[in-house]
Amino acid sequence: MSRSTESFSNTNGIHGSTPNQGQAPKTSKIELDVPKLHSLPSEQQNLYLLTFTLGLEKQVFSLSHDEICLQQPHITKQLLQIVQLVAPVPTRVIRNSLGKCWSYMLEKGDRKPLYESINQLLGIISAGKNEKELHSRHAAVYCLGEVYKAAGDSAITLSEVSCSSLLRLVKLAQNHVGLRAAIYRALEKSVGSVQGSLDEGTAREIWKTARTAASGDKAALVQANACRCLERLISSTSHFGAANDFEALKTTIWKTCDSPSAIPRRAAASCLATMLVKGYSDSAVSILKAKPKKSKKSGKNQGAPLDDADDGPSRPESPATKRSVVKLELTFPAILAQLSSYYVRSSTSNRARAAITHCYVQVLQRLDHSVVQASYGQLVEHLFSELLSNSSISYDRYRLLLTRKYVQKILTNCVSSQILAESGRLSAAKTLINDVLKNYPQAVKETAEPSKQVLVGALTALASLIESLGSVFSSLGDACQDALVQVLRHPSYTVQISAAYCLRAFVLACPQHLIHCASICMNNATRELAHLSTGRQSHRRCVGFANGLAAVLSVSPLQPLYGSLEISSRALFIATELLKSSGRSELRVSSTQVQVAWILIGGLMSMGPDFVKIHVSQLLLLWRNALPKPLTKENTAQRDLAELSYLTHVRECALGSILSFLESNQRLVTLDVSIRIAALLQNTTDFLETVPARKKDEDASTRIIPSLQLADLIVMVRRRVLQCYTQLMNFGPASGADTLGDSKLLNLAVALFADPMYAPSSLESSIANSTANFESIWDIADNGGFGITGLVHGQNIRPLPGEETTVDPNDRRSADNCLEDIDDTLMSPIRGAREHDSVHIHIHEGVRVQQLPDPPATEVVNSAIGLFAFVFPSQSPKVQEFVLEQLTTHLSAGTLQRTPGRRAAVTINTAMALLGALKVAAGETRAESGDLKHPAVERTLEALLRTFAIDPDQHVRHIGYEGLGRLCNTSGNAFTTNEVNLLIDLIVSNRDPNARAGYAMALGSIHSNVGGMAAGLHLRKIHGVLLSLCGDPHPVVHCCAIAALSQVAESSGLAFSGYVSSTLGLLAQAWSSDTHNEESASLGTSNTEIERPTPLVVARAINSMINVLGPDLQDNSKARELIVSLVDQFDGDESLKVQAEGLRCWEHMNLYDPGHVSLEVYVKLLQKYLRSSDGLTCAIAADGLYNLARRNVQLVFQVAGEGFEEQIWLTLNDQPDLDGIRNLVETWLSQTSLTDAPQWILRIQQVLTKCIAKQTEMVPQSAKAAAEPELQDEEVAGFATNETKEKGTAVAPDPSQELLQWQVRVFALQCLSNFVATVGKDLDLDSESIAGQVLQSKVGDVIRMAFHASTSSVVELRVGGLKLINQILKVMEQSPLKGSTQR
């Protein structure tokens, strides 16, 4: 492998080596030595050819125009020679390099050889029907596409012949996926270059063939490229604007939307969105319009396909008859209706619904932003009424929650974040309040009252808008407050919880309304409590107002200046009185009083220890009264259903307040308190055991809560018990863990998550659970999943309570990148919702607020797994061994063999429980680590985890090998040695791809968890076996092997440096091999590579190699050249993720070896990616610029050129929370504040007054002075008006412009404050400071900026302005420059 690094040369990229070092003279001609190539061993031929091709590309890119014209014939000859090679065949990297050479020569050189090149490539494509030459044809097809992309507008006359030749090749390529995909990609490039000059007959033929491939091909890559080809036909030609073309396209797209792969679904959505946007018309009079079509020449008509009614023209009645077609014209509501009509069909799959959501997003992004903003009311009405309120959606719980998530993505991540500016979001919030929320209750006869689903959707969208607007929303505060209080009266519990959450977001953003909202909710709840015995729905209204009050009270710790101790004390008093009087009331009235009381107490618990500590004794007494020891089972059996429901309901409400106490007051959980609460939890567990099982449906008249049966209440109580136990085990005192760690809890937990007996939640689930119908548990979509845990979501595992998690940079994803998140929603059969757990609203930890609670039954499983994880390691070895044997018995139970759905659920639950226990034992949580080192326990754990590691389900494998790594970490060196040897033997002897992949990842996980020092003894063996697996032809095996190799390298550090050379050679082969990417000839390989792309894993592995070498890169020229060559390839890859990894590689290269990285090229590259719409790429680019600025920020700005500063502020305006940009500006300020003091004052002044068009276009400098800050006082307004008149500027701002977002202006004001502080410190050291003199001369401008900020409607700006004024006064008072006339 070391020879590979010697022969692999560098391409023309960021690498900053000496210009003539290792390069041939520009006038020399490089020729491929074919005899030498064939004389080499077969394993070296590919590398030799790749080296020559990249060297040729490097020389081409270094040529000037005249040199290209001189050498173009020779270079073209070399390119054609490589294309026609039979052995070794041109691989993907070589094809890309050849295409780049042709494209560069035609763009920068002479186009005279264009026709000859196209004819030569067409000759290769059309040469016979020999399938052995498909690889050469594949390369020729790709190069033809690149030629047309670069210079196709100069070869229009050959376009018909080229397209026909490509279409004829489709039939011959039926057994080659990569070639078929390349054909449609080349057609797309050809159409995009020729555009409207393409003959209609040829266009129709391409249209027909691409539609067939998009809907019928089994290869995901071919489907995606065919959809892109259709999209190019629609956007670049005028032949497909008719209504019948649209109907034909819809038929194709709907079939493609059912693809199991997300890539063709996204391509199909983009294609349909292009057609819809092309047909958009703002005319509401006529949607469809007849337009006569011009007659064509008879010669062209003969070439048009006539066998498909949707594709070709109808048969003419006579030669003189003119055909008329219906032109596609759709208004905005009509476009939305086209998408919703298919979305709401009961036969539409969830995959298709995800694709339609993509289409919604694409349509809204491509339409003019002013159209979307003006039609926001129509958009929300459509989404709420046509989607959420449709009966086919609302009757299915999973479908409803999935649609609710999609609607939130459309309105929040797309419209609010990417389309609407600050003023647009305010207008959108106003629309939701006035047009939706204020219509409840019905006030005008002509306006219908919004349904439950409409209100939930509106409240969720409004809460997101409030969170993004912050204190700017205060202008709508009164209207929003009135509307939310009215909605709290709604009889639906779901609406009440959504309104309470929205009210919490509102009070958090506008804390001046906190006391008023709390008073209104409290008074309304008190009034409704007085009418509980009447016939009206007072009991539901009481619960709504109580949840609203609890949500408002939970904001008090976050906004301590606005809270009220009087209201909190009064709420506690009301709750106590309700609990006291509930015993004298009728059963239903009493249940409402108890529920309201405990909701209020739960809300008060979130106020923290400062308020709760004086009430702990009182709370313990109340909890003891609500959770007494149960009577005998016979006594419980004699009670009727209503009484049993009441007793269960009371316990559930009381436990909710205990959970809130444990979440928010961990400092108060002493040993005594934990023992008392544990006793209460044990009482509740005993009570649940005494409740008799009732199989018959209950009469609605016997229910305490009409929508909940006794069985539902029991599940909710069990959930609360397990949640409280988990919190006690994790956050309680260490000495109390032994008291709680009873083996009975283990048995209870195992029975809840691993019991083979399970009753399906619906008839559909029963059918799906049969062996014949079962495919995957992740596709069940019934919100139950046969009792599966909600802790697993694809490859992401939810952390345990108290677990110390680290963000994986490979999984970092921006919130703005909503497209990928849409497909991620399909990775779990469980969907969360706020109404599943009202206590969730009171918890103000960031992660938990974002994570919606799962259904109660799923939360029972989640909590049981968490409890098992904390209790199991602290048990004795005998108990541990017994429990593990019990789990093994459950997994092998005969019942599970007949019910594959439940078997899959039990497998995942058990794997998660064992992984959680190993995390606790490894010390990754706050709980006591315990001990799992008994030999019998280790053997059983090893056997179970090894079974999980080879499971056909990749998510189970992920849990299994992560567990094996932690088991070796806790079990010592001897166990690790035996395990590594055993895994290597199993890899050698096992041919199952899933097993080899799982064992390979297990080796990587073991090395990563054990660490480089302890695992260093096994490094050579692990590296050897993983290196051999990297060449495995199966995509799952080599992808996992490369990923494991990357893990080993990162955890080994410098110990891996001896293996870098061989590893880099293998990674180079994997990158260039056609069996390791989606363009493979095999159908199975291609589809697997689409889902698990090996090039991305290779890019991450290269980054690991860079980190292993570190500063040694400066001396290791061979490794550096190879790395630079590969990273250059990453930059040109089509995948955004691979490009992001390439940026990371350049960042680390510049960190370790800045002398060999061209600063100018690197900065330009970062600037390009800073404008990317992909959030991950933009964040990496911002981090890279920040790291460069830490060395020399002035040099960075000098290299970046003009416009870079403006780009920084615009990027920050689009993403106010982008840490990389904030750090860059702060570094810039810290390095230049004293030397560029005048520029900084002027710069911040410009940022505070900078105006942008509402479509994020910069305003000319002459218009910037027109925008004035919002002034709230007549005296202030008069002062500002006089100033503007003196300066001769206009007062009225342009309504089409607005200031930067308030978060950016607050950040600029903070920078100004830091600037003043820095200058003040400099004045203390040097009274003659130049920066101090500048501050004195510009103090009027600084005070003016502070004064304007202090009069803003944004609270943060007002506070920042006042602080700045105070800071200026102190600095000027302490400075010796007191005699200034400007003070």
Side-chain angles (χ1 to χ4, degrees):
M1 290 298 176
S2 60
R3 290 188 59 186
S4 63
T5 62
E6 297 178 10
S7 56
F8 203 87
S9 65
N10 175 37
T11 61
N12 195 29
I14 298 178
H15 190 217
S17 58
T18 306
N20 295 324
Q21 182 179 353
Q23 299 184 17
K26 293 183 179 180
T27 57
S28 65
K29 295 182 179 181
I30 299 180
E31 292 187 7
L32 177 63
D33 191 347
V34 178
K36 180 180 179 181
L37 171 66
H38 290 157
S39 65
L40 293 173
S42 58
E43 64 271 9
Q44 295 184 19
Q45 290 182 5
N46 287 325
L47 198 56
Y48 181 87
L49 180 61
L50 180 60
T51 302
F52 173 82
T53 307
L54 294 180
L56 181 62
E57 178 190 346
K58 182 179 180 180
Q59 187 195 35
V60 169
F61 274 80
S62 66
L63 296 177
S64 64
H65 171 76
D66 295 336
E67 292 168 337
I68 290 179
C69 296
L70 181 64
Q71 298 193 32
Q72 202 161 353
H74 172 74
I75 296 174
T76 302
K77 180 181 178 181
Q78 296 301 312
L79 296 177
L80 288 170
Q81 186 178 18
I82 297 173
V83 168
Q84 298 179 37
L85 280 176
V86 178
V89 296
T91 59
R92 184 180 71 117
V93 177
I94 295 176
R95 292 193 297 268
N96 293 345
S97 182
L98 297 177
K100 290 178 184 178
C101 291
W102 245 308
S103 176
Y104 186 83
M105 285 193 303
L106 293 173
E107 287 179 350
K108 304 295 184 181
D110 193 358
R111 290 194 176 186
K112 290 181 180 178
L114 174 62
Y115 274 61
E116 182 182 356
S117 298
I118 293 177
N119 287 324
Q120 289 172 332
L121 290 173
L122 288 176
I124 299 173
I125 292 173
S126 305
K129 297 184 179 180
N130 187 2
E131 294 190 5
K132 294 182 180 179
E133 300 176 356
L134 287 182
H135 293 289
S136 297
R137 296 183 181 186
H138 189 180
V141 167
Y142 179 83
C143 292
L144 182 64
E146 290 298 310
V147 167
Y148 264 97
K149 182 180 179 181
D153 54 345
S154 300
I156 295 176
T157 56
L158 289 178
S159 61
E160 186 175 352
V161 178
S162 300
C163 294
S164 300
S165 300
L166 290 173
L167 290 174
R168 285 194 298 269
L169 187 58
V170 172
K171 185 176 181 180
L172 190 61
Q174 291 304 308
N175 295 324
H176 197 296
V177 173
L179 178 55
R180 293 203 307 276
I183 290 172
Y184 291 109
R185 196 61 189 272
L187 287 171
E188 177 208 349
K189 295 174 181 176
S190 302
V191 174
S193 179
V194 178
Q195 296 189 355
S197 302
L198 183 66
D199 176 68
E200 183 174 0
T202 304
R204 290 283 173 184
E205 191 66 30
I206 298 173
W207 174 267
K208 180 179 178 180
T209 307
R211 279 182 52 216
T212 303
S215 59
D217 204 294
K218 294 182 180 180
L221 182 63
V222 177
Q223 285 185 300
N225 284 358
C227 288
R228 297 185 183 110
C229 183
L230 291 172
E231 182 178 357
R232 182 64 68 181
L233 285 169
I234 296 167
S235 62
S236 299
T237 68
S238 58
H239 306 313
F240 304 98
N244 62 336
D245 294 325
F246 176 61
E247 294 300 326
L249 179 67
K250 279 199 304 182
T251 304
T252 301
I253 295 301
W254 298 149
K255 293 179 181 178
T256 312
C257 286
D258 280 324
S259 171
S261 174
I263 304 299
R265 293 201 302 265
R266 295 181 193 176
S270 179
C271 178
L272 183 59
T274 301
M275 190 70 162
L276 291 171
V277 173
K278 183 179 180 180
Y280 169 73
S281 171
D282 57 359
S283 172
V285 179
S286 176
I287 295 179
L288 298 176
K289 187 189 299 182
K291 180 180 178 181
K293 192 173 184 180
K294 296 181 180 179
S295 61
K296 297 180 296 182
K297 295 181 180 180
S298 58
K300 291 185 178 180
N301 276 336
Q302 292 174 1
L306 302 176
D307 54 342
D308 194 304
D310 291 332
D311 295 328
S314 60
R315 185 172 58 188
E317 297 177 359
S318 66
T321 304
K322 290 184 178 181
R323 293 184 297 106
S324 63
V325 298
V326 180
K327 181 182 178 182
L328 179 66
E329 290 191 0
L330 300 170
T331 59
F332 185 73
I335 289 176
L336 301 179
Q338 292 289 339
L339 299 176
S340 63
S341 61
Y342 190 75
Y343 185 99
V344 299
R345 292 183 189 176
S346 57
S347 59
T348 303
S349 65
N350 290 326
R351 290 171 179 167
R353 291 191 174 94
I356 294 173
T357 307
H358 278 285
C359 196
Y360 271 110
V361 173
Q362 296 274 4
V363 167
L364 294 172
Q365 288 176 341
R366 296 179 186 183
L367 284 173
D368 190 83
H369 290 182
S370 60
V371 173
V372 179
Q373 181 170 341
S375 307
Y376 185 82
Q378 295 176 338
L379 175 63
V380 295
E381 181 182 1
H382 167 83
L383 294 175
F384 298 159
S385 302
E386 300 299 326
L387 296 188
L388 287 175
S389 299
N390 191 280
S391 58
S392 65
I393 299 296
S394 57
Y395 90 94
D396 186 286
R397 180 65 178 170
Y398 182 89
R399 199 176 295 170
L400 173 63
L401 296 181
L402 187 70
T403 303
R404 196 187 293 177
K405 181 69 173 180
Y406 287 160
V407 169
Q408 181 187 0
K409 284 290 175 188
I410 294 171
L411 293 179
T412 302
N413 295 77
C414 175
V415 177
S416 177
S417 299
Q418 300 180 3
I419 297 176
L420 298 181
E422 197 170 274
S423 60
R425 275 174 273 175
L426 272 174
S427 176
K430 188 175 181 179
T431 300
L432 292 173
I433 294 171
N434 294 335
D435 296 349
V436 181
L437 299 184
K438 284 194 173 181
N439 288 333
Y440 180 84
Q442 186 178 15
V444 183
K445 227 177 189 181
E446 291 76 14
T447 305
E449 183 177 280
S451 66
K452 163 186 170 181
Q453 304 303 336
V454 170
L455 287 173
V456 172
L459 289 166
T460 305
L462 181 60
S464 300
L465 286 171
I466 293 173
E467 290 171 353
S468 65
L469 286 169
S471 56
V472 174
F473 188 77
S474 58
S475 59
L476 300 175
D478 294 336
C480 181
Q481 174 184 293
D482 297 340
L484 292 178
V485 170
Q486 286 295 328
V487 176
L488 282 174
R489 302 171 181 270
H490 199 279
S492 170
Y493 182 74
T494 301
V495 176
Q496 292 174 359
I497 295 301
S498 298
Y501 175 78
C502 188
L503 187 63
R504 183 183 186 276
F506 166 66
V507 174
L508 188 59
C510 307
Q512 62 269 27
H513 292 269
L514 191 152
I515 295 178
H516 195 197
C517 288
S519 301
I520 292 176
C521 291
M522 186 180 298
N523 294 337
N524 285 334
T526 305
R527 183 172 62 253
E528 295 296 340
L529 284 169
H531 297 87
L532 283 176
S533 57
T534 61
R536 64 183 194 174
Q537 297 180 343
S538 293
H539 60 286
R540 295 188 176 183
R541 295 178 182 175
C542 287
V543 174
F545 286 121
N547 279 307
L549 177 57
V552 172
L553 292 174
S554 67
V555 178
S556 296
L558 304 177
Q559 298 286 357
L561 296 178
Y562 296 89
S564 172
L565 183 61
E566 178 185 354
I567 290 181
S568 303
S569 302
R570 185 183 168 198
L572 182 60
F573 174 78
I574 292 174
T576 306
E577 291 300 316
L578 285 174
L579 291 175
K580 291 179 181 178
S581 60
S582 62
R584 302 187 296 271
S585 304
E586 184 263 335
L587 203 60
R588 294 183 184 274
V589 174
S590 177
S591 67
T592 303
Q593 291 175 332
V594 170
Q595 185 176 5
V596 170
W598 287 121
I599 289 174
L600 294 181
I601 293 175
L604 290 169
M605 294 301 98
S606 61
M607 296 186 66
D610 293 337
F611 174 80
V612 177
K613 62 182 178 182
I614 60 175
H615 304 290
V616 170
S617 58
Q618 181 184 3
L619 290 170
L620 290 172
L621 180 61
L622 294 174
W623 289 330
R624 190 183 66 181
N625 293 336
L627 305 171
K629 290 185 179 180
L631 300 176
T632 61
K633 194 169 186 178
E634 292 76 12
N635 182 281
T636 306
Q638 295 174 0
R639 300 179 184 272
D640 59 7
L641 279 176
E643 192 172 355
L644 283 175
S645 298
Y646 173 79
L647 294 174
T648 309
H649 175 63
V650 169
R651 284 167 169 78
E652 196 274 334
C653 295
L655 289 171
S657 66
I658 294 178
L659 179 62
S660 183
F661 168 79
L662 295 174
E663 288 275 3
S664 306
N665 301 275
Q666 299 165 10
R667 182 156 52 90
L668 302 180
V669 185
T670 61
L671 178 60
D672 178 63
V673 171
S674 62
I675 292 175
R676 293 191 183 191
I677 292 178
L680 299 178
L681 297 178
Q682 184 60 48
N683 293 345
T684 309
T685 304
D686 296 339
F687 168 78
L688 293 176
E689 293 177 355
T690 62
V691 177
R694 300 177 184 271
K695 297 182 180 180
K696 295 182 179 180
D697 292 337
E698 305 169 14
D699 186 6
S701 60
T702 62
R703 299 178 186 174
I704 296 298
I705 300 176
S707 60
L708 296 177
Q709 299 183 12
L710 176 60
D712 300 324
L713 292 172
I714 291 174
V715 170
M716 294 168 68
V717 173
R718 185 169 284 122
R719 171 190 63 182
R720 288 282 183 255
V721 169
L722 294 171
Q723 288 174 337
C724 293
Y725 266 130
T726 303
Q727 289 297 320
L728 276 179
M729 289 294 301
N730 190 39
F731 299 108
S735 53
D738 298 334
T739 307
L740 299 175
D742 193 352
S743 59
K744 292 182 179 179
L745 293 178
L746 269 181
N747 296 330
L748 173 64
V750 169
L752 290 174
F753 70 74
D755 188 1
M757 303 302 296
Y758 174 78
S761 57
S762 64
L763 178 61
E764 294 179 0
S765 300
S766 302
I767 297 173
N769 197 25
S770 61
T771 306
N773 298 319
F774 183 81
E775 294 182 1
S776 171
I777 194 169
W778 310 109
D779 298 330
I780 298 299
D782 65 345
N783 224 39
F786 305 103
I788 191 175
T789 177
L791 301 175
V792 181
H793 190 88
Q795 295 292 101
N796 299 322
I797 297 175
R798 198 184 306 174
L800 294 171
E803 181 181 348
E804 299 177 1
T805 57
T806 56
V807 178
D808 185 359
N810 296 331
D811 295 331
R812 184 174 60 178
R813 187 177 300 150
S814 173
D816 292 335
N817 189 12
C818 59
L819 296 183
E820 191 167 352
D821 198 28
I822 290 172
D823 294 309
D824 289 347
T825 56
L826 303 176
M827 291 185 179
S828 173
I830 308 296
R831 298 301 315 163
R834 288 190 180 89
E835 61 267 24
H836 291 156
D837 192 352
S838 61
V839 176
H840 181 80
I841 301 177
H842 311 152
I843 302 170
H844 43 72
E845 295 180 14
V847 175
R848 302 218 174 175
V849 172
Q850 297 297 327
Q851 183 68 47
L852 296 179
D854 290 329
T858 305
E859 283 291 347
V860 168
V861 178
N862 296 346
S863 301
I865 290 174
L867 182 61
F868 177 91
F870 289 119
V871 175
F872 180 76
S874 61
Q875 300 299 309
S876 64
K878 289 186 178 180
V879 174
Q880 292 174 350
E881 188 177 357
F882 172 76
V883 171
L884 291 176
E885 290 177 356
Q886 189 178 5
L887 289 174
T888 305
T889 303
H890 287 334
L891 288 171
S892 59
T895 309
L896 294 183
Q897 307 307 316
R898 298 186 296 271
T899 54
R902 181 56 182 169
R903 181 176 70 241
V906 170
T907 300
I908 294 170
N909 294 346
T910 305
M912 271 303 303
L914 296 180
L915 176 60
L918 289 166
K919 285 182 178 180
V920 174
E924 298 180 19
T925 65
R926 302 180 188 177
E928 287 293 319
S929 58
D931 186 12
L932 296 175
K933 294 183 180 179
H934 192 272
V937 176
E938 291 175 348
R939 283 196 301 270
T940 311
L941 277 173
E942 177 193 14
L944 285 171
L945 293 173
R946 206 183 303 131
T947 303
F948 298 147
I950 63 174
D951 194 273
D953 190 332
Q954 61 174 329
H955 307 310
V956 179
R957 290 203 303 271
H958 174 63
I959 301 171
Y961 61 68
E962 287 290 336
L964 276 174
R966 287 170 172 82
L967 178 62
C968 291
N969 184 26
T970 59
S971 299
N973 293 334
F975 180 86
T976 301
T977 301
N978 294 332
E979 186 65 22
V980 168
N981 293 332
L982 180 60
L983 289 175
I984 292 175
D985 293 340
L986 290 172
I987 289 174
V988 173
S989 61
N990 203 322
R991 306 309 303 170
D992 179 28
N994 293 325
R996 291 164 70 85
Y999 291 146
M1001 290 300 297
L1003 289 175
S1005 178
I1006 290 172
H1007 202 286
S1008 177
N1009 282 275
V1010 173
M1013 295 292 291
L1017 299 174
H1018 318 291
L1019 178 58
R1020 184 176 181 180
K1021 291 185 293 184
I1022 292 177
H1023 176 264
V1025 71
L1026 290 180
L1027 214 61
S1028 63
L1029 289 179
C1030 289
D1032 194 291
H1034 198 281
V1036 175
V1037 177
H1038 62 240
C1039 184
C1040 290
I1042 296 173
L1045 199 59
S1046 179
Q1047 275 187 304
V1048 171
E1050 289 179 351
S1051 57
S1052 298
L1054 288 175
F1056 196 83
S1057 58
Y1059 305 93
V1060 167
S1061 179
S1062 57
T1063 305
L1064 283 175
L1066 185 135
L1067 292 176
Q1069 290 183 358
W1071 172 258
S1072 60
S1073 174
D1074 264 351
T1075 61
H1076 287 57
N1077 60 72
E1078 68 275 8
E1079 295 181 17
S1080 170
S1082 169
L1083 175 64
T1085 300
S1086 177
N1087 286 344
T1088 306
E1089 287 286 348
I1090 281 281
E1091 299 300 322
R1092 302 172 64 95
T1094 301
L1096 177 61
V1097 184
V1098 171
R1100 290 172 179 170
I1102 292 297
N1103 191 27
S1104 301
M1105 297 299 108
I1106 296 173
N1107 290 324
V1108 167
L1109 290 174
D1112 292 342
L1113 277 169
Q1114 301 175 22
D1115 303 323
N1116 195 338
S1117 60
K1118 297 176 182 178
R1120 184 181 64 246
E1121 292 292 331
L1122 176 55
I1123 289 173
V1124 169
S1125 298
L1126 290 173
V1127 177
D1128 278 334
Q1129 298 291 321
F1130 302 160
D1131 295 336
D1133 198 87
E1134 296 180 354
S1135 171
L1136 286 175
K1137 291 184 177 179
V1138 175
Q1139 294 176 18
E1141 291 301 324
L1143 272 184
R1144 284 202 184 103
C1145 292
W1146 284 126
E1147 180 180 350
H1148 294 150
M1149 284 284 294
N1150 182 70
L1151 175 66
Y1152 299 127
D1153 188 12
H1156 288 88
V1157 175
S1158 173
L1159 180 63
E1160 182 177 357
V1161 179
Y1162 181 42
V1163 170
K1164 296 295 183 183
L1165 182 70
L1166 293 176
Q1167 284 183 269
K1168 182 187 77 170
Y1169 283 113
L1170 195 62
R1171 296 187 292 268
S1172 172
S1173 59
D1174 180 66
L1176 174 61
T1177 309
C1178 183
I1180 297 174
D1183 292 339
L1185 287 169
Y1186 164 62
N1187 290 329
L1188 286 176
R1190 292 170 65 185
R1191 293 179 184 169
N1192 190 337
V1193 69
Q1194 290 181 330
L1195 181 59
V1196 172
F1197 276 81
Q1198 180 182 351
V1199 169
E1202 296 183 2
F1204 182 48
E1205 178 183 344
E1206 187 174 279
Q1207 182 185 4
I1208 286 176
W1209 293 112
L1210 286 180
T1211 304
L1212 191 60
N1213 189 59
D1214 294 335
Q1215 303 182 53
D1217 297 328
L1218 193 57
D1219 292 333
I1221 295 295
R1222 287 176 171 264
N1223 295 335
L1224 170 62
V1225 175
E1226 290 173 351
T1227 303
W1228 185 18
L1229 176 65
S1230 64
Q1231 292 185 21
T1232 62
S1233 57
L1234 298 179
T1235 57
D1236 296 336
Q1239 288 82 354
W1240 270 108
I1241 295 176
L1242 178 62
R1243 182 177 294 123
I1244 295 175
Q1245 187 175 18
Q1246 290 176 345
V1247 171
L1248 292 175
T1249 58
K1250 182 188 291 288
C1251 287
I1252 58 173
K1254 293 185 179 180
Q1255 294 187 13
T1256 65
E1257 295 176 357
M1258 289 305 301
V1259 179
Q1261 192 71 24
S1262 59
K1264 293 180 180 179
E1268 290 295 320
E1270 183 179 354
L1271 304 178
Q1272 308 265 334
D1273 187 85
E1274 293 181 0
E1275 182 180 356
V1276 175
F1279 172 69
T1281 303
N1282 290 333
E1283 286 184 350
T1284 54
K1285 286 181 179 179
E1286 291 174 3
K1287 295 182 179 181
T1289 55
V1291 178
D1294 189 342
S1296 65
Q1297 305 163 8
E1298 62 182 8
L1299 297 172
L1300 297 178
Q1301 292 197 50
W1302 68 269
Q1303 294 95 334
V1304 180
R1305 287 179 282 149
V1306 168
F1307 174 67
L1309 204 63
Q1310 291 173 351
C1311 291
L1312 184 57
S1313 176
N1314 295 338
F1315 168 77
V1316 172
T1318 304
V1319 174
K1321 292 179 181 178
D1322 188 56
L1323 277 171
D1324 293 338
L1325 299 175
D1326 182 11
S1327 60
E1328 300 296 330
S1329 169
I1330 298 177
Q1333 295 176 9
V1334 171
L1335 179 60
Q1336 180 208 16
S1337 63
K1338 298 287 186 180
V1339 69
D1341 294 336
V1342 176
I1343 291 177
R1344 188 177 295 109
M1345 285 186 280
F1347 183 74
H1348 285 173
S1350 64
T1351 59
S1352 171
S1353 61
V1354 181
V1355 175
E1356 289 82 355
L1357 277 173
R1358 288 208 303 269
V1359 173
L1362 293 173
K1363 287 183 177 179
L1364 182 58
I1365 292 175
N1366 182 51
Q1367 190 178 12
I1368 285 290
L1369 293 175
K1370 289 183 177 179
V1371 170
M1372 299 307 295
E1373 180 182 7
Q1374 294 173 1
S1375 70
L1377 305 172
K1378 296 182 180 180
S1380 173
T1381 58
Q1382 293 194 26
R1383 289 187 69 244

